């Protein structure tokens, strides 16, 4: 807390990144767009690179854009404010991305949630099973836009 | 001035007069049976009501006050409700043992009534091993708990039962040592003689440090033995739902509840007998007038007052303290109470042998 | 029947029930239970003799008390051994514990 | 553990326990600290803004202020309000939309106040009634406008 | 699924704790594998109060969706509402009037106290002391009364709206809060007598459920739980919102990381909140309590994220807007969810009784976790 | 656990596990005794410790010093359904919880009573529309004796509900049948109200 | 004093019946419970004989100690829900006949004992205490100390055995 | 009253408790279903069997207790005569308790009193 806040030069970070990354600025927080297969390398880099050390994954979610899914990771440093948003597009029919539960352990539960809500398969996740939904929900992902449940869901 | 002793004497005479010797004895036993059953029922009602009021006042609230005047009928309603509630036996349980456990529990606490001296010369059986008998019989209740826990076929019950098994047996030792302290000082195990030995003053006043320590140890130990908070691990609500009586409902459960209160009463009564002189009035040295006034108060009142004071203390514990964890509880017994009890006993012996007590 | 005879017969009855259990059961703990029955028979025997034959002496009583004490020690040790065996062989059946490997 | 430490532990432990017992003992004997309000006997002290249920005030001549504009129905997040309108013929011979039934589902209402805020004519308000227990939940469906009531003059 | 952890081999015992269990503060379901009484594994099963709030919010307007969030972390309902309001304001760039800001902070801090005080009672209940629970509710009722007078509800407030607050402060508010401050201070000392220094309580909580700083960060644990592990993660300090940057308060941080440290942090936070309220109560600026906003709010296309510090930790609202009147996707980053994920790590090797203490010290609110 | 509790609420209503069959024996209650028992039962309603969400806090408040339901003799909250008389459904019941609630209810010893506290337990309340996981009223799962509206009902309201239940027991009224037409739509206004 | 013989007969019957049930039941937990009945009935007999000290010892050690210990070890070593294997019929009947024969033989031998001395002064607790402490040849001080040492040895043995066991458990 | 009073107590205990348990059958008409008979485990079906082996850490305490209890029993007759017999009793008790204490110390050293 008492440390001086140092600004991060995201251009340089992107240049140093081990994998191709697209930087988008102009949004409230800088955004990095990455191809799904490259995500584990980038995650490792963001976590360990000395000038970044983003050790605090505070939000992990997914958005269904009807044509594709987007994984959204909000990363931060534990003492300094260096929020960065990493996004990765996934195929809607066969969403797959590597798990980062080994890097940020909080991801384990968040990924399980995304798994059941969006059907994203997290490769290498230690224990990928339903967390919130009752058993037998595999395959129906309620937070997808096309989810319909005519019995339980009464539309207003 | 009337006293229970005289009433009983008169009753006995009348019985002998009308029924003859054998008839009188049989009638006396029947009356005794009726008396203990009534006593138990009333005890349950009174103690539960007291507990509720004590807890309520400590918790800045009113407690039962709407059923009957001042809520006095509350516990009666509870009892009637429990009686009219289904007492179910789970399908997987061992039926015989499941129903045996509450009976055993009640029988054990009934048996414990035998040596309790309710007033001067009012005692069911003044047996010569008095306090040893209490110590012995109360160790049977652990079996009722174990049987109840096992036969319910429920994991919480079983865990709770085993916890309380380990707990009750452990604390029996400390209670035993505390009892021994007074036994050494008064040179008897018989309840009436222990009380007689306090003619000149209660042990708590006469016995110096060893008796104070013994009192504290005894109170802690009986609190643990009766499975009451802060030692209510067996039924630790926030851990094991209701412990060994999780599966019990209706009257079967109520019997456990009742037995717990009866045991508290008996433990307090024995404690009052050992340390506070039982029904012996408060006597101070040679203040004759004062002693006379004290004597004038009936002995049963003395006994009940002391017993209820100790019951209150035990309730006070319950509504103040957090619960110990099972290993801490055993550690408390084996690392603190037991060695203290041992050392304390030697001290008490020394005092008794040297005649240092007042 | 005289009370002493009756007690002694009861005591021997307990003893032989214990013997029966000891012979038919192959489970160490039930065997322990049988052994306790036998010891109890013996203790009752001693107490009965003491009470109805030499009531002014206490030797029988003390012997019985000591038997109980020794029974306790024996039970404790036996159970410790049983548990140990159980850890090693995963069984409390005597026929399974033919050789004490450990 | 030395003997002194051992004894000190015991004494400190006992002292801390005694402090707690003194506190509860204090409350045990000080009955003036008891704060219980005896609800059915003593009427509860309700805050004037307390939201108990939505009501529609009527004046003496059985008039309310609701124009049937359905703003509240739209504002309500969970479909508690159902407005049934009818066409009334004004004295000038014009047809005019007016409230027929203001159906209010108390069993759904979350007492969030959004409808009150939304109402342009202040036709509804929150009352403090809270004793809503019933044996049949259909009793909780209410029609707020009284039978035969009509719009107050001058309310548009 | 349950079979793989059900080992009937010697000593291993699988028991369910919850969904209906007094210590889980609601309907958390833990499947515990035990050896004797030692916990080998805790496997939380959630969803027993999953109300699909995120899906629901996709069809609610920006004014309407706030009320649902009161029902998530119902003990911090003001702060939840606050987070949502902040997110909408940030998107629409609404300037909140200073009076509303102060009212919001006041309400937040009162909520925090109410939540912590309830937690205190519940924690005491978990470790087996029942009386503190009642004492805690006495103070909580006072806060509730203060809230009720201004906000009109006791629990689910729906008081903060985009642009400010729904009503102005009640005229009695200042006086009642001022009465409350010294009263609560004295009661906090009583709390110390009843629990903080109690040897049994210390025994039950010290060295139990230790969470190191690194683990806390890795598990994304926030709030008092993380601060007890030595991680200063208070959003009010890191990215001050409203007028927090102009207020004096300390972030209570402990290093031990055990249940007792978490306890101390929350006790400290109650005192800090009290001092915040003290600072503000005489300095409520005059003016509007609500900014002028349109009747129907339409957020611009884009993504918005706001963070607030609830009584349990960092609460995030992530709104993806397509430009309509309803959110396209909304995600609530609830603190309890991450805090719960560390439970298994903390509880392993402890006893069942410790599990209860650990859960108590985490201050879980299950609807906040399940959403 | 059988797969797919969600099945319970999709398609044709399928009965919950465990249909109630009256056991033989019992039930010789007459006259004055009947009244005494009803009095005892109504004055000693021990609740099950059961709360799922926000309403549970208000239920706890009702237990707390200010409202103090122990005045009526309700304070002996039991953690196990075997010993409880009344289950106060304080909070939302979701589809995953419904079998649990049913099981808890089934495992209670007779006689047993149910209070639905709050909008959620009464009808789904705030979560009636647009949710896929909330049971629209606890009476789809177990029969309910008393409904207490509010979100959350204030503690006095819960007390009022309990008093209503007491009156109901004392009047000897039997529980209403389970409302069978699940998904009873709020639009369907009963005749008694619409005229 | 109202102490008819039939009480003794009932108690003896209970003791024997409990014993029989304990050795024949196939549910091991129940075996322990039947043993409990048998032992309690014996304690009752001691009470009937006015040897209260012996009765208390019986209850406190047997019922409160040994049976509890047996039950604990049952939990540790058995699937308490499973019934025990049935003994082979030959073994069972053989053992039963053997035991019964031995008992009948013994009973026949015992029947012609001289009658009991029924009225006698009971030892008081202080008699027992003095006997226990006296060091002359009728005193029990020496055996008493020996028993104590034996118990100490038993305790040491138990701890040695059990603690090894514990380390084995942890691995 | 003599030992017979124990029988009276036992009988009245049995009568009282069975009567109390039995009377409910006449006052309530219970419904039975399959779920009612299942063991209660927080509202979900139990996992695995209940009557299985447990790894209880308590049995060691039961062992220790048994030994101590035996010695405690011997102390009772001693206590009665202790003050009369004077120093003999004191010395014997000290010897006795010392042996007991030795055992206790041994157990403590070995960690038998630590609960695992
Ligand atoms: S208070 Fe809220 S929920 Fe109730 S009718 Fe009004 S807008 Fe709807
Ligand atoms: S109550 Fe108000 S908002 Fe609702 S329909 Fe009537 S006038 Fe319109
Ligand atoms: S009725 Fe309201 S307060 Fe109660 S549980 Fe439902 S949302 Fe929460």
């Amino acid at each position: 807390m008492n440390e001086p806040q140092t600004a991060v030069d995201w251009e340089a970070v992107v240049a140093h990144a081990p994998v191709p990354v697209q930087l988008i600025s102009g949004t409230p927080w800088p955004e990095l767009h990455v191809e799904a297969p490259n995500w584990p390398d980038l995650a490792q880099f963001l976590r360990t690179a000395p000038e970044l050390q983003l050790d605090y994954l505070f939000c992990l979610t997914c958005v269904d854009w009807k044509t594709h899914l987007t994984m959204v990771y909000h990363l931060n440093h534990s003492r300094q404010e260096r929020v960065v948003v990493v996004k990765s597009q996934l195929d809607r029919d066969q969403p797959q991305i590597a798990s980062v539960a080994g890097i940020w352990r909080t991801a384990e539960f968040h990924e399980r949630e995304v798994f059941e809500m969006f059907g994203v398969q997290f490769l290498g996740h230690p224990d990928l099973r339903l967390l919130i939904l009752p058993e037998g929900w595999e395959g129906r992902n309620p937070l997808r836009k096309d989810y319909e449940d005519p019995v339980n869901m009464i539309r207003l | 001035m009337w006293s229970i002793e005289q009433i009983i004497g008169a009753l006995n005479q009348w019985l002998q007069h009308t029924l003859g010797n054998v008839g009188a004895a049989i009638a006396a036993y029947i009356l005794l049976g009726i008396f203990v059953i009534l006593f138990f029922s009333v005890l349950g009602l009174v103690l539960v009501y007291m507990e509720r009021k004590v807890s309520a006042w400590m918790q800045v609230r009113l407690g039962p006050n709407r059923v009957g005047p001042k809520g006095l009928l509350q516990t009666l309603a509870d009892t009637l409700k429990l009686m009219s509630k289904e007492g179910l036996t789970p399908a997987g349980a061992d039926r015989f043992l499941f129903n045996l456990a509450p009976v055993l529990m009640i029988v054990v606490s009934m048996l414990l009534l035998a040596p309790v001296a309710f007033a001067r010369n009012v005692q069911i059986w003044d047996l010569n091993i008095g306090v040893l008998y209490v110590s012995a019989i109360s160790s049977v209740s652990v079996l009722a708990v174990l049987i109840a826990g096992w036969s319910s076929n429920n994991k919480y019950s079983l865990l709770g039962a085993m916890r309380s098994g380990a707990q009750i047996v452990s604390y029996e030792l400390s209670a035993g040592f505390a009892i021994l302290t007074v036994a050494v000082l008064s040179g008897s195990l018989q309840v009436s003689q222990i009380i007689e030995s306090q003619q000149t003053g209660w042990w708590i006043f006469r016995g110096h440090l060893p008796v104070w320590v013994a009192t504290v140890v005894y109170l802690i130990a009986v609190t643990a033995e009766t499975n009451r908070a802060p030692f209510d691990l067996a039924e630790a609500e926030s851990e094991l739902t209701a412990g060994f009586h999780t599966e019990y409902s209706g009257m079967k459960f109520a019997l456990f509840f009742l037995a717990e209160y009866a045991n508290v009463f008996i433990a307090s009564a024995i404690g009052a007998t050992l340390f506070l002189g039982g029904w012996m009035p408060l006597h101070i040295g040679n203040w004759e007038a004062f002693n006379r006034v004290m004597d004038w108060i009936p002995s049963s009142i003395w006994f009940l007052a002391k017993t209820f004071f100790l019951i209150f203390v035990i309730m006070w514990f319950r509504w103040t303290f957090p619960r110990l964890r099972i290993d801490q509880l055993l550690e408390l017994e084996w690392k603190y109470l037991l060695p203290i009890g041992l050392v304390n006993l030697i001290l008490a012996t020394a005092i008794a042998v040297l005649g240092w007590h007042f | 029947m005289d009370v002493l005879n009756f007690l002694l017969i009861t005591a021997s009855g307990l003893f032989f029930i214990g013997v029966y259990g000891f012979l038919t059961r192959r489970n160490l703990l039930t065997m322990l239970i049988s052994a306790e029955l036998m010891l109890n028979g013996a203790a009752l025997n001693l107490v009965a003799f003491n009470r109805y034959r030499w009531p002014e002496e206490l030797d029988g009583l003390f012997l019985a008390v000591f038997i109980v004490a020794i029974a306790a020690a024996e039970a404790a040790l036996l159970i410790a051994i049983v548990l140990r065996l159980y850890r090693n062989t995963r069984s409390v059946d005597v026929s399974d514990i033919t050789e004490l490997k450990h | 553990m030395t003997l002194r430490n051992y004894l000190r532990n015991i004494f400190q432990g006992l002292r801390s326990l005694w402090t707690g017992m003194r506190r509860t003992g204090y409350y045990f004997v000080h009955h003036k600290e008891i704060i219980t309000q005896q609800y059915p006997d003593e009427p509860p002290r309700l805050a004037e803004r307390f939201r108990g249920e939505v009501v529609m005030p009527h004046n003496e001549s059985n008039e309310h202020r609701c124009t049937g504009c359905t703003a509240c129905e739209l504002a309500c997040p969970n479909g508690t309000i159902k407005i049934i309108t009818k066409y009334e013929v004004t004295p000038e011979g014009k047809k005019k939309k007016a409230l027929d039934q203001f159906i209010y589902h108390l069993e759904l209402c979350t007492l969030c106040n959004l409808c009150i805020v939304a109402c342009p004519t202040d036709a509804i308000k929150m009352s403090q009634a809270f004793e809503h227990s019933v044996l049949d939940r259909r009793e909780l469906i209410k029609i707020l406008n009284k039978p035969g009531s009509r719009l107050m003059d001058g309310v548009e | 699924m349950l079979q793989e952890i059900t080992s009937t081999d010697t000593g291993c015992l699988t028991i369910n704790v919850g969904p209906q269990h007094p210590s889980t503060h609601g309907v958390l379901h833990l499947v515990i594998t035990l050896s004797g009484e030692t916990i080998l594994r805790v496997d939380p099963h959630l969803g027993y109060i999953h109300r699909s709030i995120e899906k629901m919010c996709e069809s609610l307007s920006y004014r309407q969706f706030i009320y649902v969030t009161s029902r998530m972390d119902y003990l911090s309902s003001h702060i939840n509402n606050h987070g949502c309001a902040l997110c909408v304001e940030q998107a629409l760039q609404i300037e909140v009037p200073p009076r509303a800001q102060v009212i919001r902070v006041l309400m937040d801090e009162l909520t925090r106290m109410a939540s912590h005080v309830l937690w205190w009672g519940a924690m005491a209940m978990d470790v087996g002391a029942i009386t503190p629970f009642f004492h805690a509710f006495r103070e909580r009722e006072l806060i509730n009364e203060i809230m009720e007078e201004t906000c009109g509800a006791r629990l689910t407030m729906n008081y903060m709206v985009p642009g400010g607050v729904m009503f102005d402060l009640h005229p009695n508010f200042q006086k009642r809060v001022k009465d409350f401050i010294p009263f609560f201070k004295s009661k906090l000392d009583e709390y110390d007598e009843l629990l903080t220094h109690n040897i049994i309580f210390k025994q039950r909580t010290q060295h139990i459920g230790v969470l190191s700083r690194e683990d806390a960060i890795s598990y994304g644990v926030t709030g008092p739980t993380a601060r007890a592990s030595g991680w200063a993660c208070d959003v009010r300090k890191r990215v001050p919102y409203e007028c927090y940057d102009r207020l004096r308060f300390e972030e209570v941080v402990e290093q031990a990381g055990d249940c007792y440290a978490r306890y101390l942090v929350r006790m400290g936070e109650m005192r800090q909140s009290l001092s915040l309220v003290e600072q503000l109560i005489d300095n409520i600026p005059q003016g509007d309590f609500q900014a002028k906003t349109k009747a129907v709010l339409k957020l611009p296309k884009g993504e918005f994220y706001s963070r607030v510090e609830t009584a349990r930790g960092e609460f995030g609202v992530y709104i993806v807007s397509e430009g309509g009147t309803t959110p396209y996707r909304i995600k609530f980053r609830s603190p309890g969810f991450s805090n719960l994920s560390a439970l298994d790590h903390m509880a392993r090797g402890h006893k069942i009784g410790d599990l209860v203490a650990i859960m108590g010290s985490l201050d879980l609110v299950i609807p906040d976790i399940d959403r | 656990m059988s797969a797919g509790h969600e099945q319970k609420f999709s398609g044709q209503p399928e009965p919950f596990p465990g249909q109630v069959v009256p056991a033989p024996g019992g039930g010789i209650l007459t006259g004055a005794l009947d009244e005494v028992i009803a009095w005892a039962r109504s004055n000693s309603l021990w609740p099950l410790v059961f709360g799922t969400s926000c309403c549970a806090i208000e239920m706890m408040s009702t237990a707390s010093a200010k409202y103090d339901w122990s005045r009526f003799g309700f304070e002996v909250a039991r953690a196990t359904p075997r010993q409880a008389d009344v289950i106060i459904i304080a909070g939302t019941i979701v589809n995953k919880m419904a079998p649990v609630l049913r099981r808890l209810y089934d495992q209670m010893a007779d006689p047993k009573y149910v209070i639905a506290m709050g909008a959620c337990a009464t009808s789904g309340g705030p979560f009636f529309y647009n949710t896929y996981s909330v049971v629209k009223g606890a009476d789809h799962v177990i029969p309910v004796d008393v409904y207490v509206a509010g979100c959350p009902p204030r503690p006095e309201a819960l007390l009022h509900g309990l008093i209503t239940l007491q009156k109901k027991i004392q009047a000897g009224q039997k529980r209403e049948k389970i409302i069978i037409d699940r998904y009873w739509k709020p639009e369907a206004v009963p005749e008694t109200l619409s005229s | 004093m109202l102490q008819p013989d039939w009480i003794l007969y009932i108690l003896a019957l209970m003791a024997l019946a409990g014993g029989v049930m304990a050795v024949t039941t196939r549910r091991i937990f129940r075996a322990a419970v039947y043993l409990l009945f048998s032992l309690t009935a014996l304690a009752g007999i001691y009470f009937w004989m006015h040897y209260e000290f012996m009765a208390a010892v019986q209850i406190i050690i047997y019922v409160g100690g040994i049976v509890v210990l047996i039950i604990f070890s049952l939990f540790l070593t058995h699937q308490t829900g499973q019934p025990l294997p049935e003994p082979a019929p030959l073994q069972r009947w053989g053992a039963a006949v053997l035991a019964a024969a031995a008992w009948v033989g013994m009973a026949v031998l015992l029947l012609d004992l001289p009658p009991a001395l029924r009225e006698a002064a009971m030892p008081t607790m202080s008699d027992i205490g003095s006997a226990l402490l006296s060091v002359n040849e009728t005193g029990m001080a020496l055996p008493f100390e020996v028993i104590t040492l034996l118990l100490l040895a038993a305790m040491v043995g138990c701890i040695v055995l059990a603690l090894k066991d514990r380390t084995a458990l942890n691995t | 009253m003599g030992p017979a009073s124990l029988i009276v107590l036992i009988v009245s205990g049995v009568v009282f408790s069975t009567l109390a348990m039995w009377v409910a059958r006449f006052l309530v008409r219970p419904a039975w279903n399959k779920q009612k008979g299942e063991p209660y485990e927080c509202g979900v079906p139990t996992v695995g069997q209940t009557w299985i082996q447990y790894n209880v850490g308590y049995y060691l305490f039961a062992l220790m207790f048994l030994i101590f209890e035996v010695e405690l029993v011997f102390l009772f007759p001693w206590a009665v005569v202790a003050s009369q017999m004077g120093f003999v009793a004191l010395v014997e008790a000290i010897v006795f308790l010392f042996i007991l204490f030795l055992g206790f110390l041994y157990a403590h050293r070995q960690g038998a009193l630590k609960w695992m």
Side-chain angles (χ1 to χ4, degrees), chain D residues 66-72 83 102 119-121 123-124:
Chain D
C66 175
T67 56
C69 70
T70 70
C72 51
I83 305 247
F102 188 109
C119 180
T121 57
I124 45 179

Side-chain angles (χ1 to χ4, degrees), chain B residues 32-42 110, chain H residues 11-13 15-16:
Chain B
L32 172 67
I34 294 171
F35 163 74
V36 286
I37 288 177
L38 280 183
F39 181 74
F40 255 57
S41 321
V42 174
M110 285 253 174
Chain H
V11 169
S12 46
V15 166
F16 174 64

Side-chain angles (χ1 to χ4, degrees), chain B residues 29 94 96 129 150 162 189, chain G residues 2 30 52 75 80 125:
Chain B
Y29 284 131
D94 186 325
F96 167 61
I129 52 164
W150 181 81
M162 285 195 290
L189 299 177
Chain G
L2 202 69
R30 282 202 177 184
E52 283 94 3
F75 289 144
T80 41
M125 274 314 276

Side-chain angles (χ1 to χ4, degrees), chain C residues 23-101:
Chain C
L23 289 178
T24 51
R25 287 293 161 90
R26 314 258 27 99
N27 177 309
L28 277 173
L29 283 168
T30 34
M31 283 168 81
L32 175 68
I33 290 177
S34 312
E36 297 299 342
L37 281 173
M38 293 200 273
L39 282 172
N40 261 291
L44 179 58
N45 209 334
L46 287 167
V47 174
F49 265 115
N50 187 331
R51 168 71 177 78
Y52 291 113
R53 197 44 36 119
W54 298 281
E56 62 285 347
E57 286 178 32
L58 288 173
D59 296 10
L61 176 66
F62 270 112
L63 217 47
V65 172
F66 289 157
I67 283 183
V68 175
I70 291 167
E74 165 245 41
L77 267 177
L78 197 76
I79 281 174
I81 293 169
V82 167
L83 292 176
R84 187 108 171 73
L85 280 176
Y86 179 75
R87 289 295 170 216
N88 292 336
T89 62
R90 299 259 136 223
S91 168
V92 287
D93 201 319
V94 269
S95 42
D96 289 352
I97 311 167
T98 42
E99 79 231 65
L100 300 176
K101 282 169 288 189

Side-chain angles (χ1 to χ4, degrees), chain E residues 256-292:
Chain E
D258 57 5
C259 292
Y260 194 61
R262 296 194 267 279
Y263 174 87
L264 289 180
V265 167
R266 291 208 173 84
M267 292 301 277
E269 279 190 6
M270 278 194 255
R271 294 202 157 88
Q272 289 302 327
S273 295
L274 206 55
S275 91
L276 277 171
V277 172
E278 245 178 332
Q279 288 171 43
L280 283 175
I281 192 66
D282 284 324
N283 302 315
I284 306 173
Q286 295 300 318
D288 286 342
F289 58 89
Q290 207 176 356
K292 287 269 167 295

Side-chain angles (χ1 to χ4, degrees), chain F residues 108-174:
Chain F
M108 282 163 78
D110 287 299
K112 46 195 171 187
Y113 310 98
V114 180
I115 291 181
M117 176 184 183
C120 287
T122 310
S123 65
F127 308 101
F128 189 89
Y129 293 104
N130 300 326
T131 62
Y132 53 84
S133 64
V134 176
V135 176
K136 314 294 189 273
D139 45 13
H140 293 302
V141 185
I142 57 177
V144 174
D145 287 288
V146 173
Y147 300 88
V148 184
C151 184
R154 49 182 301 129
E156 287 101 342
L158 179 59
L159 285 179
H160 184 258
L162 282 160
I163 295 169
T164 312
L165 179 60
Q166 281 188 327
K167 286 194 187 129
K168 181 172 176 175
I169 297 169
Q170 274 164 3
Q173 283 176 19
K174 297 284 172 290

Side-chain angles (χ1 to χ4, degrees), chain B residues 107 166 229-230 243 284:
Chain B
V107 168
I284 299 180

